[in-house]
């Protein structure tokens, strides 16, 4: 096994990875920015190296600085966590070419999936269902009009280098098509340095279902069932659960098999997620693949019993998966609430010093966080300060357990979105599983705050 791993990240995910390393007997190197000298991840690691000033562009995204930290500490492998450099194929390549192990998929898999047009072409070859739309990139308004004849309206124009909801334009009628096309192209060029766009029929009321996959370097790939991620706002997930409360066993089997086929089509190694849109009639379509560990991985860990970070490390070292698809069984239900330092209904950020932090506990409650009493949440990074995860035999019991866990949570000194979660968990539509990707935004328009 590796002797020492550098974690190129901060916050709760860096802590999560350090914890996994400790349990595996692997030494850890944290990297931190000037704003993060007092951060939990820098304290918990065996060694910590300052990699630059506060802005992430000069620290957590600073590749030469991170590589220097790996060299001076004699680390053998680099774990990127999520966000920052996690899906940067060039960084993965630099890591590998410099003689370190990359705890993630091959740069080639990352490149294919990072280009949504290439990804869709590969998915088509693998018989993974695709949203009807353009056959590859669309280069002109004329071409867009032709595509619109087959998709009809509404349609959605997406940037090939986009993803996660960035660089998209929904078009409801023909007269808006030229302006939306130009806007999408221009914004894609500015944001990603690639103005390539493509077109899909716009699905109006889908759910967001994603399939967790795990592959090793020996060609073994399994899925670990699905997560329901429709509870989001501005493309930021708020609450996730596993399994999805609203799919039948046949749909589950079909969507998980499609996810598995997607991963196999790029010879996927490590932990990854295939995102699908699920229509009310149970038809589903590939949207994109995330070639990283995700924030919401704990809900999958809890229903399957598989430690995903441990297995990311093991497969990166070259170990074979110790289980087959038949060994992976779902048990019970898990929910994750993302606790953010922000106003629960206005969503304005609320950084500052935590005067008191008390984490919930008790049976089947997990807290992934880098928070502590006295810590000052910096304004420069993501506002997520904790993830509360609960598990129970069924969804209703899991909701109840989450409600009592949130009642125990105390964060004094800064404002958090805990109240949003409490209100959401009490909502009858949420409780029935009667929702789609627009639920949260629609509900927020009409609740008093
Ligand atoms: C879509 C869509 C409807 N139809 N594509 C947003 C995130 C990015 N991964 C793709 N997204 C969407 N693509 C078609 N053809 C609706 C969304 C979408 C969405 C998807 C998942 C979760 C939340 C969402 C919120 C708004 C739009």
């Amino acid at each position: 096994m590796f002797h020492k791993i550098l974690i190129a990240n901060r916050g709760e995910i860096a802590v999560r990875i350090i914890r996994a390393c400790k349990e595996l007997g692997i030494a850890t190197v944290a990297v931190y920015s000037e704003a993060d000298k007092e951060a939990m991840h820098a304290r918990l690691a065996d060694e910590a190296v300052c990699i630059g000033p506060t802005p992430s562009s000069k620290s957590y995204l600073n590749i030469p600085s991170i590589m220097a930290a790996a060299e001076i500490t004699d680390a053998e492998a680099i774990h990127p966590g999520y966000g920052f450099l996690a899906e940067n194929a060039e960084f993965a390549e630099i890591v590998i070419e410099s003689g370190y192990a990359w705890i993630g998929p091959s740069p080639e898999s990352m490149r294919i999936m990072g280009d949504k047009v290439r990804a869709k072409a590969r998915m088509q070859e693998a018989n993974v269902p695709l949203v009807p739309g353009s056959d590859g990139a669309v280069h002109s308004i004329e071409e867009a009009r032709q595509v619109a004849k087959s998709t009809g309206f509404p349609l959605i124009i997406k940037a090939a280098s986009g993803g996660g909801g960035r660089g998209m334009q929904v078009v409801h009628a023909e007269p808006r098509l030229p302006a939306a096309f130009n806007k999408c192209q221009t914004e894609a060029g500015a944001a990603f340095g690639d103005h390539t766009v493509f077109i899909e029929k716009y699905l109006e009321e889908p759910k967001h279902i994603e399939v967790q996959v795990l592959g090793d370097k020996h060609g073994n790939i399994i899925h670990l069932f699905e997560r329901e991620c429709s509870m989001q706002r501005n493309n930021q997930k708020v609450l996730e659960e596993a399994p999805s409360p609203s799919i039948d066993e046949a749909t589950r089997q079909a969507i998980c098999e499609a996810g598995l086929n997607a991963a196999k089509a790029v010879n996927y190694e490590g932990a990854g997620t295939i995102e699908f849109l699920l229509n009310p009639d149970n038809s589903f379509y590939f949207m994109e693949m995330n070639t990283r560990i995700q924030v919401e991985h704990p809900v999958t860990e809890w229903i399957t019993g598989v430690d995903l970070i441990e297995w990311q490390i093991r497969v990166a070292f070259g170990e074979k998966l110790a289980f087959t698809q038949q060994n992976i069984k779902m048990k019970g239900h898990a929910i994750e609430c993302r606790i953010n330092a922000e106003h629960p209904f206005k969503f304005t950020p609320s950084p500052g010093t935590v005067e008191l932090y008390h984490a919930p506990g008790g049976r089947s409650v997990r807290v992934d966080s880098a928070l502590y009493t006295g810590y000052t949440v910096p304004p420069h990074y993501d506002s997520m300060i904790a993830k509360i995860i609960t598990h129970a035999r069924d969804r209703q019991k899991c909701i109840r357990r989450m409600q009592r866990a949130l009642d125990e949570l105390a964060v004094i000194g800064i404002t958090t979105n805990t109240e949003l979660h409490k209100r959401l968990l009490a909502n009858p539509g949420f409780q029935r599983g009667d929702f789609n990707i627009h639920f949260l935004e629609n509900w927020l328009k009409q609740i008093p705050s």
Side-chain angles (χ1 to χ4, degrees):
M1 185 37 73
F2 298 121
H3 298 101
K4 194 187 274 191
I5 293 175
L6 180 143
I7 298 109
N9 215 302
R10 65 182 301 282
E12 70 84 19
I13 193 63
V15 169
R16 168 73 184 89
I17 297 161
I18 292 165
R19 286 172 170 161
C21 288
K22 285 195 176 179
E23 292 175 9
L24 288 166
I26 300 167
T28 51
V29 180
V31 296
Y32 63 94
S33 70
E34 281 172 13
D36 275 347
K37 285 194 167 72
E38 308 291 315
M40 178 79 102
H41 75 285
R43 296 190 184 193
L44 283 186
D46 297 296
E47 294 169 85
V49 181
C50 184
I51 50 166
T54 297
S56 20
S57 59
K58 300 199 149 132
S59 48
Y60 298 105
L61 293 171
N62 184 342
I63 296 176
S65 191
I66 292 166
M67 297 312 297
E71 184 172 353
I72 62 171
T73 57
D74 209 18
E76 297 167 6
I78 297 183
H79 195 309
Y82 53 67
F84 296 123
L85 297 167
E87 295 186 273
N88 185 322
E90 216 162 299
F91 177 55
E93 215 159 65
I94 290 167
V95 168
I96 294 163
E97 282 170 7
S98 307
Y100 302 92
W102 166 249
I103 304 179
S106 70
E108 177 65 4
S109 304
M110 294 170 73
R111 281 213 173 86
I112 295 168
M113 290 304 187
D115 177 341
K116 311 305 165 201
V117 168
R118 271 186 87 187
K120 285 190 80 167
R122 183 67 68 93
M123 293 306 107
Q124 185 153 38
E125 291 167 19
N127 281 316
V128 177
L130 298 180
V131 188
S134 59
D135 185 10
V138 177
H139 303 94
S140 67
I141 291 165
E142 254 328 293
E143 213 184 314
R145 283 205 182 91
Q146 283 304 119
V147 175
K149 281 181 190 163
S150 64
T151 61
F153 291 91
L155 58 76
I156 184 166
I157 312 173
K158 297 182 177 182
S161 295
R166 300 184 316 145
M168 315 188 310
Q169 292 288 323
V170 178
V171 187
H172 292 278
E174 164 87 49
R176 312 291 300 162
L177 187 58
F181 183 85
N182 288 333
K183 187 160 192 274
C184 194
Q185 251 194 355
T186 305
E187 288 181 358
F192 315 114
D194 168 18
H195 62 253
T196 311
V197 302
F198 62 101
I199 293 176
E200 290 177 349
K201 174 187 171 67
Y202 181 68
L203 309 181
E204 305 209 53
E205 297 185 321
K207 290 190 165 214
H208 179 184
I209 309 274
E210 55 185 37
V211 176
Q212 177 70 54
V213 295
L214 182 62
D216 66 20
K217 291 183 184 294
H218 306 272
N220 305 300
I221 309 186
I222 59 162
H223 73 75
L224 296 111
F225 300 106
E226 84 285 359
R227 293 185 287 262
E228 164 65 65
C229 300
S230 297
M231 286 299 158
Q232 59 82 44
R233 181 192 161 270
N234 284 352
N235 292 296
Q236 291 279 39
K237 292 168 188 164
V238 170
L239 176 155
E240 306 94 341
E241 47 187 320
S244 168
S246 43
I247 65 175
D248 54 50
E249 202 44 50
T251 306
R252 169 167 300 116
Q253 266 196 31
I255 204 165
C256 290
E257 188 181 310
L260 195 54
N261 289 337
K264 285 178 178 169
V266 292
N267 304 311
Y268 199 78
E269 298 171 18
T273 299
I274 299 90
E275 296 185 356
F276 292 95
L277 292 178
L278 175 75
N279 277 325
D281 70 357
N282 281 345
S283 58
F284 57 84
Y285 303 100
F286 170 84
M287 226 187 350
E288 53 194 69
M289 181 170 189
N290 302 318
T291 56
R292 60 166 189 275
I293 192 73
Q294 287 191 265
V295 174
E296 59 270 29
H297 75 274
V299 295
T300 297
E301 295 190 317
W302 220 331
I303 64 156
T304 62
V306 175
D307 183 328
L308 287 168
I309 306 285
E310 172 181 342
W311 279 99
Q312 278 191 297
I313 295 167
R314 287 191 184 280
V315 301
F317 188 71
E319 282 189 29
K320 286 185 178 170
L321 292 181
F323 26 76
T324 62
Q325 191 65 63
Q326 288 70 40
N327 298 146
I328 306 295
K329 298 269 188 281
M330 278 190 340
K331 192 174 168 192
H333 197 91
I335 298 177
E336 171 179 278
C337 290
R338 297 189 187 194
I339 307 299
N340 296 338
E342 67 188 16
H343 188 281
F345 304 106
K346 298 186 196 134
F347 303 95
T348 46
S350 173
T353 300
V354 177
E355 306 296 341
L356 185 137
Y357 168 56
H358 176 81
R363 184 173 163 78
S364 296
V365 176
R366 167 175 169 182
V367 180
D368 278 19
S369 174
L371 211 61
Y372 58 88
T373 293
Y375 177 63
T376 301
V377 179
H380 317 283
Y381 311 107
D382 194 277
S383 67
M384 193 178 72
I385 53 169
K387 305 188 305 203
I388 314 292
I389 308 103
T390 60
H391 182 261
R393 229 180 11 261
D394 60 52
R395 185 169 184 264
Q396 195 190 335
K397 286 192 162 62
C398 193
I399 291 172
R400 281 283 177 88
R401 183 160 276 153
M402 182 62 81
Q403 289 172 317
R404 78 96 176 134
L406 294 178
D407 284 341
E408 290 177 27
L409 174 66
V411 183
I412 314 257
I414 59 173
T415 305
T416 73
N417 65 345
T418 306
E419 194 56 34
L420 172 70
H421 285 293
K422 290 181 179 175
R423 298 274 284 268
L424 180 56
L425 290 161
N427 179 285
F430 171 78
Q431 291 186 356
R432 284 195 305 273
D434 183 11
F435 51 73
N436 58 47
I437 58 169
H438 306 296
F439 179 94
L440 194 56
E441 277 164 78
N442 289 336
W443 177 64
L444 285 166
K445 278 180 211 151
Q446 49 120 69
I447 62 160
S449 57

